[in-house]
Amino acid sequence: MKQREIAVFGGAHIDRRGRISGVTAPGASNPGSWFEEAGGGGFNAARNLARLGHSVRMISPRGGDAAGEMVAAAAAAAGVIDCPFTFLDRKTPSYTAILENDGNLVIALADMELYQLFSPRRLQQRAIREILSASDLVLMDANLPEETLSTLVSVASRDDRIVAAIAVSPAKVMRLRKCLGGLSFLFMNEAEARALTGMDAPEAANWPSLLRAAGLTGGVVTRGGSAAVAFDRSEACLVVPPALPALADVTGAGDALASGFLTARLSGFDLAGCLRYGIAAAGITLRSPFAVSQDMSASNLEQAVALVPAPQMLS
């Protein structure tokens, strides 16, 4: 796979995760452990894409604090070219999650107010315009304000490049409603797809038609360990993820799927091939306690994709 120029706009912050040791007892004190690392949908994807051999620039607001320094160090460790907007008098955003013993999410709190300061006018800066112009892929997440996302999609989609987005959450995916037609792909789970369409799909195969009707021309809907569905303008397919012997942590799996999928797309793979690579990348992450697996690499991805079942093409 060739190295490509990629620009990522979105969340780059601190992820704090508490994991319950035993059976979850709602409304009570639960014994467990605490873990902290750099995270954010866009930043997780950026680090995966860099580990897969691409030249990746990360553009995101950040505070002038120790948490911001932690994010900068994580970018350097992954080989991401860090291009932050730093607000010295503000704190770096954070995401705090409580996980069950099996790694599934109980509840989370997002302190993301700083991202609202990433206004559309920042996209007019010469350095940002040059980054966009040189990019083969522009990826964003829905942590940014609605008007900024719309402007970014409008600017990025003027040339022949892939423009993609990560939904982040059911609430935040709604910020992408006005620019769905300009996206090549949107990566989401079923809860986010329901929020976007206002409908539910009795079968995974129903999501492409529902999302196309909402104005989206391409996307991927994940469903935990069940079949994921991908579609573009002309076709759709399903792939069932291979069973994993153990689930370390679900955090970052969707971001990894986007990274594997887009890496394959940049290399000219068809839709089914892209979904297989995405699921393989997610599997690497699900076996890791980190949101971005240290085992993510082009060679390991090639080995992992061999374990992913053949796709089912949809009519």
Side-chain angles (χ1 to χ4, degrees):
M1 294 186 178
K2 285 189 196 175
Q3 182 189 72
R4 299 289 186 166
E5 293 290 333
I6 299 173
V8 181
F9 295 77
H13 49 252
I14 293 298
D15 271 352
R16 302 183 181 98
R17 299 196 295 281
R19 188 157 185 162
I20 297 169
S21 298
V23 177
T24 303
S29 176
N30 288 261
S33 58
W34 200 253
F35 178 71
E36 183 176 88
E37 66 174 339
F43 192 44
N44 292 340
R47 288 182 288 163
N48 282 317
L49 288 163
R51 290 182 183 275
L52 291 172
H54 301 291
S55 175
V56 184
R57 285 170 171 79
M58 181 75 212
I59 302 95
S60 180
R62 192 170 308 159
D65 54 9
E69 293 173 1
M70 185 175 177
V71 172
V80 172
I81 302 167
D82 197 19
C83 305
F85 293 120
T86 303
F87 297 83
L88 296 176
D89 60 339
R90 305 278 182 146
K91 64 179 181 178
T92 297
S94 64
Y95 171 82
T96 302
I98 302 299
L99 306 175
E100 293 186 302
N101 187 46
D102 62 4
N104 285 305
L105 180 68
V106 177
I107 195 168
L109 187 150
D111 182 1
M112 306 284 179
E113 193 63 30
L114 184 62
Y115 292 136
Q116 298 307 306
L117 299 183
F118 195 147
S119 64
R121 67 181 177 81
R122 293 193 175 273
L123 300 174
Q124 299 171 13
Q125 295 182 7
R126 180 176 177 179
I128 301 301
R129 295 201 312 269
E130 290 176 350
I131 289 172
L132 285 169
S133 178
S135 297
D136 301 299
L137 161 67
V138 173
L139 175 63
M140 65 203 74
D141 73 28
N143 280 306
L144 300 182
E146 180 177 335
E147 61 272 20
T148 304
L149 292 167
S150 294
T151 301
L152 181 55
V153 170
S154 176
V155 172
S157 60
R158 290 173 190 166
D159 299 316
D160 185 20
R161 67 170 60 86
I162 299 171
V163 181
I166 296 171
V168 178
S169 73
K172 291 180 180 178
V173 72
M174 305 305 286
R175 299 174 182 172
L176 292 161
R177 284 178 300 176
K178 294 181 180 178
C179 57
L180 291 177
L183 293 174
S184 309
F185 295 99
L186 173 61
F187 298 90
M188 70 205 102
N189 59 31
E190 279 199 305
E192 292 153 356
R194 284 193 291 270
L196 194 60
T197 61
M199 303 181 73
D200 200 359
E203 302 289 341
N206 299 127
W207 279 123
S209 60
L210 291 174
L211 288 162
R212 285 176 180 138
L216 192 61
T217 58
V220 177
V221 181
T222 57
R223 304 167 59 245
S226 301
V229 59
F231 68 97
D232 57 20
R233 293 180 184 274
S234 59
E235 59 184 356
C237 65
L238 289 170
V239 173
V240 179
L244 296 175
L247 180 67
D249 195 332
V250 299
T251 306
D255 308 324
L257 185 145
S259 305
F261 183 103
L262 292 169
T263 289
R265 198 63 165 186
L266 286 166
S267 294
F269 282 76
D270 62 12
L271 185 71
C274 291
L275 184 54
R276 292 183 71 237
Y277 271 89
I279 287 174
I284 291 172
T285 302
L286 286 167
R287 292 190 291 271
S288 168
F290 304 109
V292 176
S293 173
Q294 296 176 338
D295 293 329
M296 186 67 72
S297 68
S299 59
N300 285 343
L301 183 59
E302 290 294 340
Q303 293 178 27
V305 78
L307 303 176
V308 178
Q312 175 191 346
M313 302 306 298
L314 303 175
S315 56

